[in-house]
Amino acid sequence: MSKKENVWNQLLFEKSRQGGFINKNLLILGRKCSGKRSLLDALADVTKTLKNGIRQKGITPIVDYAYLNLIDLRDPDYNTNARLNVYILEEEGQKYLLPQILNHKNIKNTFVVIALDMQEPWTFMEDLDRWIGVLQDMMADLRLSLNELEEMKSNVMQYMSQMDGGQAHEGLLKTNLGIPLMVMVNKSDILERDDKGKDWDQKAEIIQFCLRQFCVNYGATLLFTSVKQKINIKVMYEYVLHRLYNMPFETSQHKNLSDFESLFIPLGQDDINIIKSTFTKLANNAIKYEESVPIVQLKKNLVKEELTVEDDQEFFTKLKEKSSQAPATRPILPIQRQVEQPAQQQQTPPADQPLSARGSQQSEQLRNFYKILTGDPIQQAQQQLQDRMRQRTATDIQPQGSATKTTPLFNSQDQQRLQRIFPKK
């Protein structure tokens, strides 16, 4: 971008400042665990946004909603009183919800990001084709007039002309969706690992070759990011605001076509001729991406999975609902385990022991149980278990081969009492 165009963008930005900022939208499309929410957490730090604010429920139960404070990083103390609304979509089947979020008015103030996961590079082209299809269906469902659609496409073409100085580029923007688009590859720090598999350098060239071709065809910016290494986090935020609010952006200072892990190629800075000259061998061969970049199993212990933190209030609400729906049950007290014995060796009360004596024995056992709750439970439980084992060794276990005496259900005193209560006829 020339110095004259930089001055023009600065004037546009100052004019928007005077008129006040409005809330605009960022739509992020990407499969689960592709680093979307980790990126939002990093952007929350950059924009001084409370992290609990980016975990809010959206207007639908499926589409995730977040927001980021709108901050000019060159003048962070200036209060814009505006937010960048962020919507996240993870499944192609959720595309029917997009008309509830975007309409023919706010689509003009929307920036779209397709998030890819560098941990699974073999999914890149499949994901890109899927999400481009979703965007095309979305634009059709918005039922924009021909004038509105042409205006949006013209804005993309005009921006590209500013970036490349009006030069003609081969193969650039074959499909113009009319919306600012970015292909963002997350977790680029994985490229520095040693367990990527054989022939990785060749595969890395194929990945870059195919991604750059795709971005040229659809007029998309290509950006590699890493939350772990803090690669291109601020660049991503500044570029989005540049496209949505005309904030000044030094393209020549930030663009990077050489370092793969921090690659950044804005719209208008690449074309088919540049790609062919950079990847001469690949340009002369037919590339089948799925065959050239097969699945590689990375070590799980080195991969940090993306975690979603549930809001505290939402967690306690769900817990209350579950407890109210659960049937009422009696509390379960801990039961002391006993050593299993053969049926003929089970301990039975002495025949001459009265019922009252056996009741007092049970009361004594109950008191012993509650003693465990008042003292050191582990130590006392171990001591009680040892005492019971010694008692069983002395009285319960009979020598092998000894006759087993069958003990009647009631002793003699109890039988006499029962006969007085229930005399024989």
Side-chain angles (χ1 to χ4, degrees):
M1 187 178 292
S2 66
K3 184 179 293 184
K4 181 179 179 182
E5 288 161 349
N6 262 331
V7 173
W8 175 247
N9 282 332
Q10 181 67 33
L11 291 174
L12 290 175
F13 176 63
E14 292 299 333
K15 184 178 180 180
S16 64
R17 259 195 172 189
Q18 295 174 4
F21 291 91
I22 63 173
N23 295 345
K24 296 192 177 183
N25 307 306
L26 175 62
L27 174 63
I28 302 180
L29 310 173
R31 64 171 58 202
K32 293 181 180 180
C33 299
S34 58
K36 303 179 296 300
R37 292 170 183 82
S38 297
L39 177 72
L40 284 178
D41 284 341
L43 290 174
D45 294 333
V46 172
T47 60
K48 301 177 182 179
T49 306
L50 295 177
K51 288 189 178 181
N52 61 351
I54 70 170
R55 300 295 186 191
Q56 290 186 355
K57 276 287 183 180
I59 58 177
T60 71
I62 300 178
V63 177
D64 285 348
Y65 168 75
Y67 72 85
L68 297 170
N69 292 331
L70 182 61
I71 292 181
D72 182 2
L73 297 183
R74 300 171 307 150
D75 186 11
D77 295 331
Y78 178 78
N79 189 2
T80 62
N81 292 318
R83 290 179 174 179
L84 184 63
N85 299 314
V86 184
Y87 301 97
I88 301 175
L89 205 68
E90 294 185 336
E91 299 291 342
E92 181 183 4
Q94 300 170 356
K95 64 181 181 180
Y96 70 93
L97 297 169
L98 288 176
Q100 301 181 35
I101 302 169
L102 303 175
N103 51 52
H104 68 283
K105 293 182 179 180
N106 63 17
I107 187 62
K108 301 174 184 178
N109 296 321
T110 301
F111 189 98
V112 177
V113 173
I114 300 178
L116 303 177
D117 185 359
M118 196 65 216
Q119 186 179 325
E120 299 179 352
W122 50 88
T123 64
F124 282 1
M125 303 314 296
E126 177 187 354
D127 284 0
L128 288 173
D129 290 339
R130 177 189 302 112
W131 293 120
I132 284 295
V134 169
L135 292 175
Q136 290 174 333
D137 292 342
M138 178 192 72
M139 296 299 293
D141 292 339
L142 291 176
R143 298 180 180 179
L144 297 167
S145 67
L146 289 178
N147 290 336
E148 289 174 325
L149 186 58
E150 287 301 321
E151 181 184 357
M152 293 176 63
K153 291 183 177 182
S154 176
N155 290 337
V156 175
M157 292 292 295
Q158 183 178 359
Y159 175 82
M160 186 182 64
S161 301
Q162 293 176 2
M163 295 297 295
D164 60 15
Q167 300 177 7
H169 292 276
E170 180 187 350
L172 187 59
L173 204 59
K174 286 184 176 180
T175 303
N176 187 353
L177 297 176
I179 49 180
L181 181 63
M182 173 185 286
V183 173
M184 182 175 62
V185 182
N186 294 327
K187 308 177 188 178
S188 65
D189 55 279
I190 290 179
L191 297 170
E192 301 177 358
R193 290 170 46 176
D194 299 327
D195 61 335
K196 297 182 294 293
K198 299 179 180 179
D199 305 325
W200 172 251
D201 292 338
Q202 182 180 358
K203 294 174 184 176
E205 287 190 355
I206 295 173
I207 292 171
Q208 188 178 165
F209 175 75
C210 293
L211 288 179
R212 288 175 65 172
Q213 274 192 323
F214 178 91
C215 290
V216 165
N217 290 336
Y218 288 93
T221 294
L222 180 60
L223 180 72
F224 279 52
T225 70
S226 169
V227 173
K228 183 178 180 181
Q229 298 295 334
K230 298 181 179 180
I231 297 175
N232 285 337
I233 303 302
K234 289 185 178 180
V235 172
M236 184 265 184
Y237 180 73
E238 289 179 322
Y239 185 77
V240 170
L241 298 192
H242 166 63
R243 296 293 300 272
L244 289 177
Y245 294 94
N246 290 316
M247 287 189 180
F249 183 81
E250 294 293 338
T251 303
S252 58
Q253 179 181 348
H254 293 298
K255 74 175 182 179
N256 186 348
L257 282 72
S258 56
D259 298 331
F260 191 29
E261 67 276 2
S262 56
L263 203 68
F264 176 49
I265 309 178
L267 173 62
Q269 300 296 303
D270 205 2
D271 64 17
I272 294 298
N273 289 330
I274 297 176
I275 296 173
K276 287 181 178 179
S277 62
T278 305
F279 306 98
T280 307
K281 294 181 180 179
L282 296 177
N284 297 327
N285 298 319
I287 302 297
K288 293 184 178 180
Y289 187 85
E290 290 75 13
E291 296 179 2
S292 303
V293 187
I295 296 177
V296 177
Q297 190 66 34
L298 299 178
K299 295 179 181 178
K300 294 183 179 180
N301 59 343
L302 295 179
V303 178
K304 184 178 180 181
E305 297 182 356
E306 181 181 7
L307 300 178
T308 302
V309 181
E310 188 175 21
D311 182 70
D312 293 343
Q313 188 64 32
E314 181 182 349
F315 169 77
F316 286 117
T317 301
K318 290 182 179 178
L319 188 62
K320 182 179 179 181
E321 292 176 354
K322 290 182 179 179
S323 61
S324 62
Q325 295 173 359
T329 57
R330 296 178 61 185
I332 300 176
L333 297 177
I335 300 176
Q336 298 179 2
R337 290 186 175 272
Q338 298 182 358
V339 180
E340 294 185 358
Q341 300 180 21
Q344 66 272 18
Q345 296 181 355
Q346 293 293 333
Q347 183 181 5
T348 56
D352 56 348
Q353 186 181 38
L355 289 173
S356 57
R358 277 181 281 177
S360 61
Q361 183 180 3
Q362 293 177 356
S363 300
E364 180 65 24
Q365 292 176 353
L366 188 60
R367 284 193 295 270
N368 291 336
F369 167 74
Y370 281 105
K371 285 181 181 179
I372 296 177
L373 302 180
T374 58
D376 185 349
I378 298 178
Q379 182 178 358
Q380 293 188 10
Q382 291 177 346
Q383 182 63 38
Q384 188 178 45
L385 181 60
Q386 292 176 0
D387 294 341
R388 292 178 64 83
M389 289 299 296
R390 284 195 296 268
Q391 183 181 4
R392 286 188 176 279
T393 304
T395 61
D396 293 351
I397 304 177
Q398 300 178 0
Q400 187 175 4
S402 62
T404 302
K405 181 180 179 181
T406 303
T407 305
L409 182 61
F410 301 103
N411 57 27
S412 57
Q413 293 180 0
D414 295 334
Q415 289 179 5
Q416 293 176 3
R417 292 177 182 174
L418 290 172
Q419 288 178 2
R420 287 195 299 267
I421 298 172
F422 304 101
K424 294 184 179 180
K425 294 182 180 181

